[in-house]
Amino acid sequence: MRSIIILGSSRNDGDTSKVVNLLKEKSDWDLIDLNDYDFSYYDYEHKNSGDDFLPMMRNIIDNYDTLIFATPVYWYSMSGIMKVFFDRITDLLEIEKDLGRKLRGKNMAALSCSIGNHLGDQFWLPFSETAKYLGMNYLGNVHAVINDSTGFEAETDKLEKFIALINTAAKSSH
């Protein structure tokens, strides 16, 4: 049972990265930073099939049972790089169907981060519905509120509960 955090943020040293590093430290989950890969927008003609996306997905699918997506909140939505990643999942439904089918039965969860607690349930819809569409188990989500007065350490209890939720749910789904 291996879990991986897939970080999609515009900054490698931003608040979301700090929260993810704390999560990684407390969970011992692996981490992939989407900024370390070169992949482009979804292309109907699949001219970008030689970029880093498909090899990255082979690695993730072959080595992990639980995918935890981590993103800052940008304009009430996931980050741009995370959205491109989700759009590219279409490649697994069109040109790499065998690889895409291997997502069935795997687990998904999500973490978001922003300076306020202003998210509605709609924020999580792309994650939960993608999991459902792909035949994955959506385990849940957590939102970390980071601001100058509390910092990210104030979110430690929330992150520990999230880790316990993911670990318990991931064990019971297999």
Side-chain angles (χ1 to χ4, degrees):
M1 304 296 297
R2 292 185 63 198
S3 299
I4 188 161
I5 304 163
I6 301 170
L7 172 62
S9 178
S10 294
R11 294 186 302 160
N12 292 338
D13 62 348
D15 291 337
T16 305
S17 295
K18 292 173 185 172
V19 171
V20 163
N21 286 334
L22 181 62
L23 187 68
K24 184 180 180 313
E25 176 185 310
K26 293 191 168 295
S27 68
D28 200 33
W29 297 336
D30 290 341
L31 171 66
I32 284 182
D33 186 337
L34 295 179
N35 287 321
D36 293 338
Y37 295 85
D38 183 24
F39 61 98
S40 61
Y41 301 102
Y42 173 73
D43 174 15
Y44 285 95
E45 297 176 7
H46 307 292
K47 292 179 182 175
N48 56 3
S49 62
D51 65 12
D52 290 344
F53 182 77
L54 291 173
M56 175 179 50
M57 287 308 296
R58 279 187 198 93
N59 175 47
I60 291 169
I61 291 170
D62 289 346
N63 293 297
Y64 299 96
D65 300 305
T66 302
L67 288 57
I68 300 106
F69 292 98
T71 179
V73 177
Y74 293 154
W75 289 101
Y76 311 99
S77 186
M78 67 178 74
S79 67
I81 194 168
M82 186 67 73
K83 176 65 168 96
V84 170
F85 179 92
F86 269 71
D87 288 349
R88 286 296 297 277
I89 290 173
T90 306
D91 289 351
L92 304 179
L93 306 174
E94 294 178 349
I95 60 172
E96 289 287 338
K97 292 178 183 180
D98 290 340
L99 185 61
R101 286 185 191 105
K102 292 180 180 180
L103 287 168
R104 290 182 189 148
K106 291 189 182 285
N107 303 306
M108 182 193 296
L111 172 142
S112 64
C113 180
S114 71
I115 61 171
N117 193 11
H118 46 68
L119 288 186
D121 290 337
Q122 304 88 338
F123 180 85
W124 307 109
L125 198 62
F127 300 98
S128 63
E129 291 301 307
T130 298
K132 185 188 309 181
Y133 186 81
L134 295 172
M136 299 176 74
N137 306 306
Y138 189 70
L139 304 180
N141 42 259
V142 66
H143 178 68
V145 178
I146 310 302
N147 60 51
D148 292 337
S149 63
T150 62
F152 65 93
E153 291 84 3
E155 300 296 279
T156 300
D157 287 344
K158 190 187 294 184
L159 293 176
E160 288 175 350
K161 288 177 184 173
F162 181 67
I163 292 165
L165 169 77
I166 301 306
N167 288 340
T168 301
K171 286 178 187 169
S172 67
S173 69
H174 281 85

